[in-house]
């Protein structure tokens, strides 16, 4: 169930821990974020990695997990704070989990940096939980406020890496099974060779192709996929 959050941001359906594919090196990160969401592990985690590596998925999965047992959550892509001033990071007292995405897109203005510094301190003092995500490591962010830079390292820092092509195929085949159909390796290979290669885009395409195949009452084969992608 999607839940309306700060600045008209809505959690996506299907972004749960069960649908996250960590690859060979992401299992520890997955378990750490799951533990934070369940209140059984770290209280602050910083994730970084290239686009499409699953940062947003993990942040939203944690929000879904906390919201399912009635907790209060706030999810905010920091790129949306431009022009909003420090007020967008205030008034979140009593929130059980705050997830701040896209820190690399945050406008690094003095007032907003101070507001983020105060937020991190407030979350820790109140016993809340904080998830941070960026395309860059915390030390590479253009932080001018020295004390804020140190606060970003209050919890563990995990790097997420892109999946290999075989791992992407495994993820697509698993998502297809969740939707009730089988995806052949041939179709999977075709998608990887003829579409954007990041996993979120591939999954979005797979779901669209599934809807097309249901409407046309045809199996998801390479000729059918080619027909759809060519605009037929």
């Amino acid at each position: 169930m999607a839940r309306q959050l700060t600045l008209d941001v809505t959690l996506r359906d299907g972004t749960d821990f069960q649908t996250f594919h960590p690859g060979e090196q992401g299992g520890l990160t997955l378990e750490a974020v799951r533990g934070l969401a369940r209140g059984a592990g770290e209280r602050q985690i910083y994730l970084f990695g290239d686009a499409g590596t699953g940062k947003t998925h993990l942040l939203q999965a944690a929000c879904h997990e906390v919201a399912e047992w009635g907790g209060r959550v706030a999810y905010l892509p920091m790129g949306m704070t431009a022009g909003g001033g420090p007020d967008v990071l205030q008034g979140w007292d009593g929130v059980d989990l705050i997830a701040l995405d896209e820190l690399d897109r945050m406008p690094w203005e003095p007032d907003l940096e101070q507001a983020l510094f105060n937020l991190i301190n407030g979350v820790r003092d109140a016993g809340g939980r904080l998830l941070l995500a960026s395309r860059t490591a915390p030390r590479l962010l253009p932080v001018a406020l020295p004390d804020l830079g140190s606060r970003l390292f209050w919890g563990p820092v995990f790097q997420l890496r892109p999946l290999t092509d075989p791992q992407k195929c495994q993820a697509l085949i698993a998502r297809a099974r969740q939707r009730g159909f089988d995806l052949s390796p041939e179709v999977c290979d075709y998608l990887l060779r003829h579409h954007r290669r990041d996993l979120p885009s591939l999954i979005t395409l797979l779901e669209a192709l599934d809807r097309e195949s249901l409407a046309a009452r045809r199996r998801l084969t390479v000729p059918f996929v080619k027909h759809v992608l060519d605009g037929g």
Side-chain angles (χ1 to χ4, degrees):
M1 176 173 59
R3 294 172 183 270
Q4 198 69 23
L5 302 174
T6 307
L7 297 180
D8 294 326
V9 177
T10 303
L11 294 179
R12 296 198 304 263
D13 290 327
T15 49
D16 54 38
F17 291 123
Q18 288 68 38
T19 56
F20 180 76
H21 300 277
E24 294 179 358
Q25 300 178 332
L28 181 61
T29 304
L30 172 61
E31 290 308 310
V33 175
R34 195 199 306 260
L36 180 144
R38 295 176 177 175
E42 301 287 345
R43 292 202 166 271
Q44 177 176 315
I45 292 176
Y46 185 110
L47 307 176
F48 76 98
D50 293 338
T53 51
K55 303 180 300 296
T56 295
H57 190 125
L58 282 176
L59 262 61
Q60 295 205 4
C63 288
H64 277 298
E65 181 96 357
V66 173
E68 281 178 3
W69 53 259
R72 297 182 61 197
V73 299
Y75 169 81
L76 176 64
M78 294 299 287
M80 296 182 64
T81 61
D87 289 348
V88 297
L89 295 180
Q90 297 172 358
W92 291 4
D93 298 338
V95 176
D96 299 287
L97 171 64
I98 297 175
L100 303 181
D101 206 351
E102 302 177 355
L103 275 175
D104 52 294
R105 298 184 59 194
M106 167 182 161
W108 292 92
E109 302 163 351
D111 288 349
L112 197 56
E113 285 195 30
Q114 186 64 51
L116 179 56
F117 172 81
N118 295 338
L119 175 65
I120 295 174
N121 287 338
V123 170
R124 173 156 293 213
D125 291 344
R129 283 157 284 169
L130 181 65
L131 277 174
L132 306 166
S134 170
R135 294 190 186 187
T136 62
R139 62 182 176 81
L140 297 179
L141 291 173
V143 180
L145 184 63
D147 288 340
L148 173 58
S150 67
R151 296 302 188 272
L152 297 176
F153 286 95
W154 265 0
V157 176
F158 294 98
Q159 182 177 9
L160 292 170
R161 301 184 183 278
L163 297 180
T164 64
D165 283 357
Q167 290 167 347
K168 291 175 185 177
C169 274
Q170 291 173 5
L172 290 174
I173 289 170
R175 180 58 65 93
R177 286 174 180 165
Q178 290 172 347
R179 294 180 68 91
F181 69 97
D182 291 326
L183 180 69
S184 71
E186 293 76 18
V187 171
C188 187
D189 180 66
Y190 186 87
L191 296 181
L192 285 169
R193 288 188 289 108
H194 293 86
H195 188 65
R196 290 177 54 184
R197 297 171 59 82
D198 63 284
L199 187 59
S201 295
L202 288 166
I203 287 176
T204 298
L205 175 61
L206 178 69
E207 293 172 349
L209 289 170
D210 181 32
R211 291 191 293 270
E212 291 284 347
S213 70
L214 289 173
R217 297 184 179 181
R218 292 181 58 183
R219 292 177 57 246
L220 208 58
T221 61
V222 170
F224 178 75
V225 170
K226 187 176 185 302
H227 172 77
V228 173
L229 295 182
D230 289 344

